[in-house]
Amino acid sequence: MMAEHLKSGLSAVERSEEDARTREIVETTLSDIEKRGDEAVRALSEKFDGYAPEAFRLSESDVEALVAKVPASDLDDIRFAQAQVRAFAEAQRASMRDIEIETEPGVLLGHKNIPVQSVGCYVPGGKFPMVASAHMSVLTASVAGVPRITAATPPFKGEPNPAVIAAMHLGGAHEIYCLGGIQAVGAMAIGTETIAPVHMLVGPGNAFVAEAKRQLFGRVGIDLFAGPTETMVIADETVDAEMCATDLIGQAEHGYNSPAVLVTNSRRLAEDTLAEIERILAILPTADTAAKSWADYGEVIVCDDYDEMLRVADEIASEHVQVMTDRDDWFLENMTSYGALFLGPRTNVANGDKVIGTNHTLPTKKAGRYTGGLWVGKFLKTHSYQKVLTNEAAARIGAYGSRLSMLEGFVGHAEQCNLRVRRYGGINVPYGEAAPRRDADE
């Protein structure tokens, strides 16, 4: 039997039509920013956020005043969350080592991990102030050693959100802008009269922000395609419908287009979860958003067995995957395509979103098939180098390089190698010919 859908969301065609509309809007907007710079950014901010201050960049005194507005208890919680994120990021950084090895006598090869020199961190916040996104991007970039960290977040209710600004500041941002949406990521990547362009964009966002990052990729680096939140619950009858429904709807409240999928081998659990979701939506303060997401993007899939659950889950490649079964570690060992796993009923996606320490900027739209999420390594570039220390090594490697270049028809390449064979090996290789073999090369 094939997996059965007790509930489906919008069809692939309907979703692609929505993606096409988003793509067109973003392309036009980025073109406007490139042509008109600050003028376009200001007009867009006024249009979408009703916000057009004298300067979008916050001064040191602006930042200090905003941080002072955050209650001490909230600052304590922010510091606790940042300590968890920092500890995990530092452990990850320690796992990345520079190396140097001698592959042949006199031949040294190595690599260095060098921080990206400037990063633009986008922190969503128009509908919900995403304090935690500052930890995940700004603080992680700081641990990586990025020397210029620019952070941007939209105004919340017409002004900078103090808690978000505090998290950016405590995380190590060097420049903070109260600017949102396409205009923020566009300005950071393209540059304007007052905003110097960065080398890389990171951070989650809505469909428009994610599409802007996609279109800007190449001009700048990006962390990954981190669009609207996706969540999946993989569950069997070891848990109940309340647990499943709460974890699905808890993530659906992110936005109107946040997919939430239940994959189970229990029809009873599937049906009970559908009913429980309706109960929760009747009492949830953010039900307007969550109900729209659930109606258009919610799915309930009943599978025959655990193997089929695994196949379905890997095919969907969801951003967040909550696993609550009698074999959670089996899914950890066998799943290959996802953003992050949340194993067992004692943890949940909100832990990962806010505090536990793993990064919450994760791949969406099936990108988990080819990349993991944001982590300290995303801010580091691994660059290789080589040294040849002796005349003998220069001649020996050069002779191989000469012959292999001629094998491919690259005479100019061969001459680069031949010059070293002549100078350091004392062998008079005729111009444009392959270096001869020596007995030691046989």
Side-chain angles (χ1 to χ4, degrees):
M1 292 177 63
M2 294 181 62
E4 179 185 1
H5 282 68
L6 296 192
K7 182 192 179 304
S8 299
L10 294 177
S11 69
V13 171
E14 290 171 313
R15 296 188 191 197
S16 67
E17 289 172 352
E18 186 173 316
D19 289 345
R21 288 191 292 270
T22 301
R23 189 161 52 247
E24 184 177 352
I25 291 168
V26 170
E27 186 174 4
T28 301
T29 304
L30 291 177
S31 177
D32 189 31
I33 293 170
E34 186 156 23
K35 290 174 183 174
R36 298 196 296 133
D38 283 336
E39 183 183 358
V41 168
R42 180 168 295 278
L44 289 162
S45 180
E46 193 162 18
K47 176 181 178 181
F48 292 109
D49 293 322
Y51 185 71
E54 184 177 336
F56 290 101
R57 181 174 177 177
L58 302 180
S59 67
E60 288 186 20
S61 59
D62 291 334
V63 172
E64 289 173 2
L66 287 161
V67 173
K69 292 181 179 181
V70 183
S73 59
D74 289 346
L75 285 174
D76 286 344
D77 288 345
I78 289 170
R79 290 190 177 99
F80 176 84
Q82 292 199 348
Q84 313 315 303
V85 174
R86 180 178 285 107
F88 192 59
E90 287 176 345
Q92 290 180 311
R93 179 63 184 92
S95 75
M96 301 179 67
R97 297 186 301 158
D98 294 351
I99 63 168
E100 185 174 274
I101 63 170
E102 188 170 21
T103 56
E104 291 276 332
V107 177
L108 297 183
L109 307 181
H111 77 223
K112 292 183 63 179
N113 294 299
I114 301 173
V116 175
Q117 293 299 287
S118 58
V119 170
C121 301
Y122 185 70
V123 177
K127 189 173 181 63
F128 300 106
M130 299 285 287
V131 176
S133 288
H135 320 329
M136 307 300 173
S137 57
V138 174
L139 190 151
T140 308
S142 181
V143 171
V146 176
R148 177 184 169 226
I149 303 171
T150 298
T153 190
F156 182 71
K157 297 181 180 179
E159 60 184 16
N161 181 273
V164 174
I165 302 304
M168 289 174 162
H169 175 66
L170 294 173
H174 303 113
E175 302 169 25
I176 298 177
Y177 296 84
C178 188
L179 190 62
I182 307 170
Q183 58 270 26
V185 294
M188 288 191 290
I190 297 167
T192 71
E193 298 91 327
T194 60
I195 303 174
V198 298
H199 295 170
M200 183 180 186
L201 289 173
V202 302
N206 63 20
F208 294 97
V209 168
E211 175 60 21
K213 286 171 63 180
R214 190 191 69 80
Q215 292 188 22
L216 290 163
F217 178 57
R219 179 191 290 260
V220 295
I222 65 171
D223 47 357
L224 59 147
F225 300 123
T229 290
E230 303 167 350
T231 198
M232 172 186 288
V233 172
I234 299 175
D236 60 18
E237 290 193 347
T238 60
V239 290
D240 58 36
E242 181 185 22
M243 187 80 77
C244 295
T246 299
D247 286 346
L248 291 165
I249 295 302
Q251 291 297 304
E253 74 177 357
H254 263 284
Y256 69 91
N257 56 353
S258 298
V261 182
L262 172 64
V263 177
T264 181
N265 56 0
S266 168
R267 174 175 286 274
R268 182 175 68 179
L269 180 63
E271 293 173 345
D272 288 350
T273 299
L274 283 168
E276 183 66 12
I277 284 172
E278 295 307 313
R279 184 190 71 80
I280 292 173
L281 287 174
I283 60 174
L284 184 70
T286 54
D288 287 350
T289 304
K292 178 64 174 171
S293 273
W294 180 247
D296 290 347
Y297 290 87
E299 296 183 61
V300 175
I301 305 171
V302 179
C303 300
D304 285 338
D305 52 33
Y306 292 100
D307 287 331
E308 187 173 50
M309 291 164 71
L310 177 66
R311 287 194 299 272
V312 169
D314 270 336
E315 172 60 28
I316 294 173
S318 185
E319 177 190 15
H320 306 102
V321 180
Q322 174 83 40
V323 182
M324 298 182 288
T325 67
D326 66 4
R327 59 197 71 191
D328 299 343
D329 285 343
W330 180 82
F331 281 96
L332 174 62
E333 292 167 6
N334 289 284
M335 278 196 72
T336 59
S337 300
Y338 55 89
L341 291 181
F342 303 81
L343 299 166
R346 292 181 180 85
T347 191
N348 64 86
V349 175
N351 279 351
D353 280 348
K354 309 304 177 189
V355 67
I356 207 166
T358 54
N359 205 292
H360 80 191
T361 303
L362 300 167
T364 63
K365 291 184 176 293
K366 294 183 180 290
R369 295 174 299 173
Y370 58 82
T371 186
L374 182 61
W375 68 297
V376 71
K378 290 278 189 179
F379 296 103
L380 296 164
K381 307 170 295 164
T382 302
H383 295 278
S384 62
Y385 64 88
Q386 57 173 270
K387 298 178 187 178
V388 179
L389 302 180
T390 65
N391 292 346
E392 293 79 3
R396 176 173 165 76
I397 291 293
Y400 277 103
S402 168
R403 294 192 295 270
L404 290 168
S405 295
M406 292 300 292
L407 180 65
E408 296 178 355
F410 283 112
V411 179
H413 285 61
E415 276 304 306
Q416 290 179 266
C417 299
N418 287 342
L419 184 60
R420 274 70 185 178
V421 174
R422 296 184 193 111
R423 291 196 179 185
Y424 299 111
I427 300 171
N428 188 21
V429 183
Y431 187 87
E433 293 185 14
R437 289 183 175 276
R438 299 182 301 172
D439 291 342
D441 295 337
E442 297 297 333

